[in-house]
Amino acid sequence: MRENSGGANGAPRETLVTLKGAGVNRGGRWLVRGVDFTVGRGEIVTLIGPNGSGKSTSAKMAIGVLKPDEGQVERLAGLKVGYVPQKLTIDWTLPLTVRRLMTLTGPLPEREIIEALEATGIRHMEKAEVQTLSGGEFQRALMARAIARKPDLLVLDEPVQGVDFSGEIALYDLIRQIRDGSGCGILLISHDLHVVMAETDTVICLNGHVCCRGTPHAVSASAEYLRLFGPSAARALAVYSHDHDHVHLPDGRVQHSDGSITAHCHPEDGHHHPHDHDHDHDHDHDHGHTSAGEGRHA
Ligand SMILES: Nc1ncnc2c1ncn2[C@@H]1O[C@H](COP(=O)(O)OP(=O)(O)OP(=O)(O)O)[C@@H](O)[C@H]1O
């Protein structure tokens, strides 16, 4: 598999997963189509988009839980994936300690359990019942479970959902430490359309297809955002400016820059070329999403 450029020291990164024009169709409806992105070792890719835009579906294609109905998904041979899903089916009536959660789906050596609990800052909660954890603590427990098996690619589906602002900063700090310590690639999902983890290398904005992509701006570069967020938040968060050439209308149709309206925005519609947008964005466009589920505005 090819390598992409842009590692911390400019060295090429080993590509872990590549999606090429990937799409999933259920019952004749395309949940997502034409999805292209790669995640390299040590790279952080953030998928953003409103509710139902296909973020989880795209992540599931990346890790092989869902097979694409069109296009291709290539994974590095022997790729180890750690997946923290958005929802976990747990029988909450049964007692379950953090420690037991770690080995629920398979045994782990003692040393690796302890290391993972320490890395996520919840060693002291080893015996705590999972039901009693706060949202942020539960996320850490799920992350501990995922990193204990030393994945090459860590996929985190909305890790900061239901976590307060300082918890969000702490979780992003933790994700950065995990990446720095293990060198794994990270695919992060967020429904916040504007504010992403500062270390994000590439943002992919989805709404049934890739609407735009680019690099976020460091909050620390803007005095205004620094004032708004404060210095610790500025370290952890970055702002993404969208660059859409079309608008998603409330009825699901798509209005293109030439004023024409199509039922959807698929590769063969000919209006939209997601590959053209693989650059940094230095201007703030209307993000063009009219669906519900928009995240916090900066
Ligand atoms: N197995 C399925 N069969 C039919 N439709 C599905 C299936 N799985 C997901 N969908 C639909 O596909 C669309 C995309 O879902 P997906 O979970 O990928 O969105 P998302 O961007 O992750 O949303 P959210 O932010 O709400 O988690 C939604 O409209 C959802 O209802």
Side-chain angles (χ1 to χ4, degrees):
M1 186 167 283
R2 77 187 169 84
E3 294 184 323
N4 61 24
S5 60
N9 52 8
R13 283 189 173 119
E14 185 180 28
T15 301
L16 302 174
V17 62
T18 304
L19 277 76
K20 289 184 197 155
V24 174
N25 189 307
R26 288 290 176 274
R29 181 167 88 94
W30 288 99
L31 309 186
V32 277
R33 258 195 122 170
V35 180
D36 293 280
F37 66 83
T38 63
V39 186
R41 207 176 280 287
E43 186 177 18
I44 299 182
V45 174
T46 298
L47 301 181
I48 60 171
N51 291 129
S53 58
K55 303 180 296 292
S56 299
T57 303
S58 300
K60 285 177 188 165
M61 280 199 284
I63 65 175
V65 167
L66 280 179
K67 297 231 173 321
D69 293 303
E70 68 174 13
Q72 286 113 44
V73 178
E74 294 164 7
R75 274 177 301 280
L76 190 69
L79 186 77
K80 267 206 278 177
V81 174
Y83 177 46
V84 177
Q86 198 178 5
K87 287 185 229 95
L88 204 63
T89 321
I90 285 182
D91 182 350
W92 293 106
T93 58
L94 295 176
L96 179 71
T97 63
V98 169
R99 196 190 167 82
R100 180 73 189 105
L101 177 73
M102 299 288 291
T103 53
L104 213 49
T105 48
L108 267 177
E110 175 68 14
R111 188 175 43 84
E112 275 154 39
I113 296 176
I114 302 297
E115 266 175 26
L117 291 173
E118 261 165 13
T120 49
I122 53 164
R123 169 87 199 267
H124 60 291
M125 292 181 168
E126 200 185 329
K127 295 194 177 70
E129 298 285 338
V130 169
Q131 295 94 313
T132 65
L133 302 183
S134 73
E137 290 162 354
F138 184 56
Q139 270 303 325
R140 281 168 189 265
L142 293 181
M143 267 191 231
R145 183 168 170 255
I147 65 168
R149 291 178 171 84
K150 314 247 178 320
D152 304 297
L153 175 66
L154 183 60
V155 179
L156 304 167
D157 196 342
E158 302 229 20
V160 297
Q161 198 179 42
V163 175
D164 68 16
F165 196 54
S166 62
E168 175 174 339
I169 294 167
L171 276 174
Y172 283 154
D173 278 341
L174 170 63
I175 295 167
R176 179 177 47 75
Q177 282 162 23
I178 292 171
R179 192 276 309 265
D180 292 349
S182 72
C184 66
I186 293 182
L187 181 60
L188 196 64
I189 296 181
S190 168
H191 67 269
D192 194 317
L193 296 173
H194 299 282
V195 180
V196 298
M197 181 180 166
E199 310 289 318
T200 299
D201 295 287
T202 306
V203 176
I204 311 281
C205 171
L206 286 172
N207 198 350
H209 64 119
V210 177
C211 292
C212 68
R213 67 179 74 216
T215 313
H217 299 281
V219 163
S220 52
S222 148
E224 200 185 322
Y225 279 124
L226 259 178
R227 258 199 319 278
L228 204 63
F229 289 125
S232 69
R235 200 186 61 243
L237 304 173
V239 176
Y240 179 65
S241 303
H242 293 258
D243 183 15
H244 292 188
D245 59 1
H246 60 282
V247 175
H248 289 261
L249 300 171
D251 62 5
R253 292 182 305 159
V254 175
Q255 183 166 29
H256 302 277
S257 50
D258 61 3
S260 63
I261 294 177
T262 53
H264 39 58
C265 193
H266 291 158
E268 78 271 16
D269 294 340
H271 285 91
H272 184 57
H273 305 284
H275 300 286
D276 297 347
H277 299 283
D278 206 355
H279 57 251
D280 288 9
H281 303 301
D282 50 7
H283 36 230
D284 200 359
H285 284 249
D286 176 6
H287 54 71
H289 288 297
T290 49
S291 317
E294 208 173 284
R296 179 186 58 236
H297 282 256

